[in-house]
Amino acid sequence: MTRSEATVTDGPEPTTGTPASTAAPAGDITATMAPDGSPWLLEVRGLTKRFPGVVANDNVDLTLATGEILGLLGENGAGKSTLVKMLFGIHQPDEGMMWLNGTEIRPAGPGDAISRGIGMVHQHFQLVPPLTVAENIVLGAEPRKRRLFDRRGAERRVREISERYGLEVEPSDVLGDLPVGIQQRVEILKALYREAQLLILDEPTAVLTPQETDELLAIMRDLAASGVGIIFITHKLREVLAVTDRVTVLRRGRSVGTVDTSSATTESLAELMVGRSVVLRVDKNEAEPGRVVLDVRDLEVRDDRRQTTVRGATFDVRAGEIVGVAGVEGNGQRELVEAITGIRPIHAGTVTIEGFTVHGHPRSVREHGVAYIPEDRERDGLVGDYSVADNLVLTEYHRRPFAGHGLRHPDAVDHLASELVERFDVRTPGIDVAVSTLSGGNKQKVIVARELSEDKHLVVASQPTRGVDVGSIEFIHNQLVAARDRGSAVLLVSAELDEIFGLADRIAVIYEGRIVAVCDPATVSREDVGLLMAGGQPSEPVAAG
Amino acid sequence: MRAEWRQWVLLPVAAVIVGLVAGAILILISGDNPLTAYGGMAEGAFGSSDAMSRTLEKATPLILGGLAVAFAFKAGLFNIGGQGQLLLGAAFAAWIGFDLNLPMVVHLPLALVIGGLAGAALGAVAGLLKATRGTHEVISTIMLNFVAANLTDWLVSRDGPWKDPESGAVARSPQVLDSAALPRLGFLPVGFLVAVAVAAAVWWIVNRSVLGFEISTVGHNAKAATYAGISVVRITVVAMLISAFLAGLGGAIQTQGVNGRFEPGFNSGLGFDGITIALLARTNALAVVPAALLIGAMDAGSTLMQSRTDVPPEIISVIQGFILFLVAAPSVVRWLLRLREDIGGTKIDLASGWGAS
């Protein structure tokens, strides 16, 4: 399923080429020096890690100076996670060496890495919600007083560190009550409490609102200024350009180059990552909106805690147009989408799809021609232990030709799966492998293939490119536009303004469960949409479309 | 394909061997010869056609108890109520067996089906509570075990409706009629054949049917099942119903094929052996049969072992406990036998029945 090399036009040579292979015998290899003559904070040379069937890291080189922010870029499956897991001692390298401040290290496990001053903030927080901020931070290395936990001492230490690095938290707050952005600060403080000199941030902005992201980037700059070296893993090129000093790009397990951020552009980084020119702007024609397909009137929906989070939303989506719902996460988008797709009960108001009134029952909604790309693909959209083939028929398994008289027809399933894998360019070793073994972008392609392989009246796509590599983003965007052009109504919910502005024909801004404005992306400014998302009012009234 | 097969077989076999070795050490410590003891056990289980029959008879309810647990596991449910469902099935099968007078082609299947349905009714309570009120099935099925035990006690007690009038002070039902009894073909009890056929049917439902796909989708990821349009409520109830039917059927076969009547408190703990067997079989319905035969053989051979040596039959429970422990903690076996990480196949997610979901 690998793309043949002939179709790939390689990107330009990186400004700083990777050094030639380390031919010297292992015993003689020593760490090199940073430009200022001191040892690098971290140096990685020739790191190789093989898993059964794949070389996850192939001779990877990387350097990081004290006080530097290094971006680590790469598509999903390029080997970023494997690399940092080796730094943090979760995996052990098969070949290659690592030096920390000129001393060779080979972390045996996370505990070993932490004691050497390496801290890692995982994408999924490793925190205990019922405990306080201070308790979470000191957990495992608690200050003691007469053999008992010294709560006051812990809170004092946490306050000291949080002031020193400008990371504001209240040590006595219960963690579970705090917003995600603050919880992430607690994760960073946890590493700093353990005196990390090297901080690895694994896609830290994936869970943050735009405002929280800005705050995090500012924090990273402050931390670097106080001498911490940071490895910043992200897919978002704009963030890399905004905050890093240098960028190392991985592609298919190899480090294909390290560039100075000052000389890089979004386009040049994207090319390095994917190995070919990437169209970041979506090419699309003017929409030709037809009849109203989705009609949402005064909709009220409650969340899992029985709080009303969608509070009287009213909007519509027509055939042949993409309506983008822009909003800061947590303003009712999730509940809105789940109510439209029948997964969550409607508390008040109506949702009508082509004249069909939605009353729960996800299956009857699907049967009325609705495709749904869910926000949390691992949780809602896939069964990880199932094969790629079974996941491709997850919503159609009970229909002909995939089943009849209560029996499944595996041959028909395999036939369709082979065809879809080909058509949607899902990179998988086969249709029988468990879908959980695929990269994030390919998992999403499985969902897109399943949902968009047939024409539907309505396509609901929630965060369709979150955590997905650049190459797959382009592909998914094109698929959504193609669905629109074939006459589907498309409802796109995204926390990325770039995505909304790139795809949407109309923008509906959601704030506190209401659609506060519907605007034309050609005439409205990003700033005004941002202001509306934050609950403000632009000085010029925005025309409702 | 062969490598995969090895993965599935190696770990349980290794667990059994390690369990037997641990048992041998205990027998040595208690001053007996483990070879004599195990020899007696083997002879008592396989040494004669009577011994073979006994092993197969012991294995039969174990197969159904194991299937009940394994099937519920597929839907992410932990049915600990096998014991109660089995008792209810045994009692109702006995009632049909002694109270009605019908030709065998109707009588025997009717008794078995009614027994299964009695078990299913008990399971349905737990399934409905789980699906509608979120009551955890581990709690409700344990509680329902007490309900079933006391209800069946009463049914055949002095004041109960199904008491054998000729038994005096003994609480038991009358003998089931011949037309409702499971016969024996030579040394082969027909009940065992029924159990094997049911195991094949369960395997087929799980792996080939639309229902099986829905059940395992719910078991693997209930959120994704909802997304796919599967009613988690319906599947939870159906899975619990079928699981409990299997346990009830096990009780019915025990009554019609072995005991010949219902007596309270017979083979207590059988429902719990089902958990051992389901885990030993790694929840594969076909593998439940050999797993149940193994446990059944140990039980059948324990009497002769005891008469040959001074080894108490409780040592069998100790060995079975060891095996369960080793199957549930495969890393111990891997460490003991220096097996590679990937041997042992995918783990059985015992926790899936426990969380908040």
Side-chain angles (χ1 to χ4, degrees):
Chain A
M1 286 284 91
T2 50
R3 189 184 287 264
S4 80
E5 285 293 333
T7 62
V8 177
T9 48
D10 268 0
E13 280 303 302
T15 50
T16 323
T18 53
S21 66
T22 47
D28 297 352
I29 300 177
T30 51
T32 56
M33 296 292 158
D36 65 356
S38 62
W40 293 103
L41 172 60
L42 175 76
E43 179 171 4
V44 166
R45 208 187 298 157
L47 218 54
T48 299
K49 177 72 185 174
R50 298 182 194 89
F51 292 113
V54 280
V55 183
N57 272 191
D58 185 3
N59 208 10
V60 172
D61 299 322
L62 177 152
T63 52
L64 174 70
T66 302
E68 189 183 32
I69 304 180
L70 178 76
L72 191 57
L73 260 182
E75 294 192 279
N76 272 321
K80 304 182 302 282
S81 295
T82 306
L83 176 59
V84 295
K85 278 178 181 166
M86 285 192 282
L87 294 176
F88 199 56
I90 298 169
H91 292 321
Q92 274 64 47
D94 295 324
E95 285 166 33
M97 304 180 80
M98 295 180 269
W99 293 269
L100 196 69
N101 286 319
T103 314
E104 196 194 341
I105 56 162
R106 194 166 265 262
D112 189 16
I114 290 167
S115 70
R116 288 171 193 279
I118 300 175
M120 180 155 174
V121 175
H122 296 266
Q123 204 174 346
H124 303 285
F125 299 155
Q126 322 272 310
L127 297 168
V128 190
L131 296 186
T132 66
V133 169
E135 286 165 344
N136 265 289
I137 290 171
V138 302
L139 194 65
E142 304 89 353
R144 281 161 203 269
K145 207 177 194 175
R146 282 187 236 103
R147 293 208 193 156
L148 294 173
F149 175 46
D150 178 10
R151 183 185 311 274
R152 287 237 188 95
E155 291 184 357
R156 196 171 52 237
R157 278 286 290 141
V158 167
R159 201 161 276 133
E160 272 169 33
I161 301 170
S162 96
E163 276 164 17
R164 177 163 12 125
Y165 292 101
L167 283 152
E168 283 170 41
V169 291
E170 173 47 51
S172 58
D173 282 349
V174 172
L175 186 100
D177 300 340
L178 299 173
V180 173
I182 306 289
Q183 294 194 14
Q184 191 170 54
R185 273 186 215 173
V186 174
E187 277 279 21
I188 295 172
L189 282 167
K190 234 166 80 177
L192 296 173
Y193 173 80
R194 286 161 180 74
E195 293 173 350
Q197 335 159 32
L198 166 60
L199 197 58
I200 302 165
L201 303 175
D202 187 3
E203 295 197 33
T205 58
V207 290
L208 300 184
T209 63
Q211 290 87 335
E212 286 172 333
T213 300
D214 290 344
E215 285 169 28
L216 176 68
L217 298 185
I219 287 168
M220 285 167 62
R221 280 187 212 102
D222 288 350
L223 286 174
S226 65
V228 179
I230 299 176
I231 295 180
F232 176 41
I233 301 175
T234 181
H235 292 293
K236 296 174 190 165
L237 300 172
R238 239 176 29 179
E239 292 166 4
V240 170
L241 291 171
V243 76
T244 62
D245 300 307
R246 288 184 303 143
V247 190
T248 292
V249 182
L250 295 186
R251 192 201 310 160
R252 291 185 194 160
R254 295 163 186 263
S255 40
V256 291
T258 299
V259 295
D260 288 329
T261 309
S262 54
S263 64
T265 62
T266 314
E267 283 74 19
S268 72
L269 289 177
E271 272 186 50
L272 261 182
M273 255 169 89
V274 191
R276 66 197 158 94
S277 316
V278 178
V279 185
L280 284 177
R281 291 200 58 85
V282 186
D283 281 326
K284 60 184 179 93
N285 301 322
E286 200 63 20
E288 291 166 20
R291 66 193 188 285
V292 170
V293 172
L294 171 68
D295 191 21
V296 176
R297 293 274 155 244
D298 306 317
L299 182 67
E300 285 185 25
V301 190
R302 292 176 166 187
D303 68 7
D304 293 336
R305 291 171 300 173
R306 293 172 180 271
Q307 303 294 312
T308 306
T309 48
V310 178
R311 304 194 276 188
T314 298
F315 66 99
D316 58 26
V317 184
R318 291 165 182 276
E321 72 165 350
I322 299 178
V323 171
V325 175
V328 177
E329 255 180 275
N331 275 281
Q333 294 97 319
R334 169 174 230 135
E335 289 77 18
L336 173 69
V337 164
E338 290 184 348
I340 291 171
T341 50
I343 288 171
R344 190 174 285 276
I346 290 167
H347 189 59
T350 55
V351 174
T352 320
I353 298 165
E354 288 276 39
F356 164 72
T357 308
V358 175
H359 283 295
H361 300 300
R363 180 157 291 167
S364 67
V365 173
R366 285 195 167 274
E367 280 165 358
H368 282 83
V370 176
Y372 174 30
I373 299 168
E375 167 182 338
D376 190 336
R377 59 179 161 267
E378 321 264 334
R379 198 194 66 162
D380 294 334
L382 296 170
V383 179
D385 294 338
Y386 277 7
S387 66
V388 170
D390 277 343
N391 274 288
L392 282 167
V393 294
L394 194 61
T395 56
E396 299 286 321
Y397 66 91
H398 57 296
R399 285 172 192 283
R400 290 193 175 281
F402 310 120
H405 305 294
L407 277 189
R408 302 192 68 215
H409 297 157
D411 291 346
V413 174
D414 288 354
H415 184 78
L416 175 92
S418 306
E419 185 205 315
L420 290 184
V421 161
E422 186 76 36
R423 203 170 115 202
F424 286 83
D425 189 30
V426 182
R427 316 263 177 98
T428 168
I431 56 171
D432 293 333
V433 303
V435 82
S436 59
T437 62
L438 302 191
S439 70
N442 281 304
K443 283 178 188 157
Q444 189 71 333
K445 280 187 188 171
V446 169
I447 294 180
V448 169
R450 181 179 69 211
E451 300 299 318
L452 299 185
S453 59
E454 283 174 30
D455 286 347
K456 299 285 167 77
H457 293 312
L458 174 66
V459 175
V460 179
S462 192
Q463 318 289 358
T465 58
R466 170 175 291 172
V468 165
D469 55 274
V470 173
S472 302
I473 289 176
E474 186 188 359
F475 181 84
I476 291 165
H477 283 173
N478 287 335
Q479 290 293 329
L480 289 173
V481 171
R484 178 200 78 165
D485 291 344
R486 289 194 304 266
S488 296
V490 179
L491 179 67
L492 167 74
V493 177
S494 177
E496 310 275 332
L497 267 188
D498 284 344
E499 185 162 73
I500 296 279
F501 270 91
L503 285 177
D505 303 307
R506 282 191 295 154
I507 298 176
V509 183
I510 191 167
Y511 176 71
E512 292 194 338
R514 290 188 194 85
I515 302 296
V516 291
V518 177
C519 7
D520 179 354
T523 56
V524 73
S525 70
R526 276 171 166 278
E527 289 68 30
D528 282 352
V529 172
L531 207 53
L532 285 161
M533 281 165 60
Q537 274 299 327
S539 46
E540 302 256 327
V542 178
Chain B
M1 219 50 206
R2 267 194 62 201
E4 208 170 287
W5 183 83
R6 253 186 50 197
Q7 283 194 5
W8 277 86
V9 170
L10 204 55
L11 182 78
V13 169
V16 169
I17 292 169
V18 174
L20 286 173
V21 169
I25 293 169
L26 283 179
I27 293 169
L28 264 180
I29 292 170
S30 68
D32 276 294
N33 183 346
L35 288 178
T36 320
Y38 284 164
M41 185 165 81
E43 205 184 319
F46 305 110
S48 62
S49 74
D50 265 3
M52 291 288 275
S53 300
R54 202 161 48 238
T55 296
L56 297 180
E57 277 175 359
K58 293 266 185 199
T60 303
L62 294 173
I63 291 174
L64 287 151
L67 288 174
V69 175
F71 191 82
F73 268 147
K74 294 288 176 199
L77 298 168
F78 205 168
N79 178 10
I80 307 204
Q83 181 64 23
Q85 294 146 15
L86 181 135
L87 280 174
L88 218 54
F92 274 77
W95 169 55
I96 298 294
F98 71 74
D99 208 33
L100 299 180
N101 199 348
L102 296 163
M104 190 171 188
V105 282
V106 186
H107 202 181
L108 177 56
L110 184 71
L112 295 181
V113 169
I114 293 292
L117 289 177
L122 198 64
V125 176
L128 282 170
L129 282 172
K130 164 99 177 182
T132 58
R133 313 300 321 164
T135 313
H136 203 290
E137 75 278 3
V138 167
I139 307 296
S140 59
T141 52
I142 287 179
M143 296 302 184
L144 288 168
N145 279 342
F146 293 103
V147 174
N150 288 303
L151 177 67
T152 51
D153 274 2
W154 172 78
L155 283 171
V156 294
S157 71
R158 211 177 36 182
D159 311 318
W162 297 349
K163 165 87 167 61
D164 180 2
E166 291 157 23
S167 70
V170 182
R172 65 179 197 197
S173 77
Q175 182 83 22
V176 300
L177 301 176
D178 282 350
S179 58
L182 278 161
R184 228 189 238 193
L185 301 171
F187 73 91
L188 197 63
V190 169
F192 178 76
L193 296 180
V194 174
V196 171
V198 171
V202 168
W203 182 88
W204 188 78
I205 290 174
V206 168
N207 291 290
R208 292 281 180 266
S209 76
V210 168
L211 178 67
F213 186 78
E214 292 178 333
I215 285 172
S216 60
T217 303
V218 170
H220 277 105
N221 184 347
K223 290 269 185 191
T226 305
Y227 162 92
I230 298 168
S231 163
V232 176
V233 168
R234 185 183 136 251
I235 291 300
T236 301
V237 175
V238 167
M240 204 65 198
L241 211 74
I242 293 176
S243 165
F245 179 90
L246 294 168
L249 183 61
I253 292 175
Q254 182 72 11
T255 296
Q256 313 308 102
V258 182
N259 298 354
R261 62 171 87 240
F262 180 75
E263 285 174 281
F266 82 96
N267 55 35
S268 285
L270 228 165
F272 297 103
D273 285 340
I275 298 168
T276 311
I277 288 157
L279 289 178
L280 198 55
R282 306 185 69 82
T283 75
N284 180 317
L286 293 181
V288 160
V289 175
L293 276 171
L294 176 83
I295 303 291
M298 286 183 171
D299 288 345
S302 65
T303 321
L304 193 63
M305 179 185 81
Q306 193 189 9
S307 68
R308 289 273 173 86
T309 59
D310 287 334
V311 178
E314 283 76 17
I315 195 80
I316 299 293
S317 306
V318 175
I319 295 170
Q320 289 174 0
F322 259 118
I323 294 172
L324 175 59
F325 169 76
L326 293 167
V327 170
S331 53
V332 178
V333 181
R334 286 200 195 101
W335 174 74
L336 277 171
L337 304 180
R338 307 285 187 275
L339 289 178
R340 285 204 323 274
E341 259 304 293
D342 52 336
I343 297 292
T346 47
K347 71 179 168 78
I348 309 168
D349 197 0
L350 258 182
S352 64
W354 286 91
S357 61

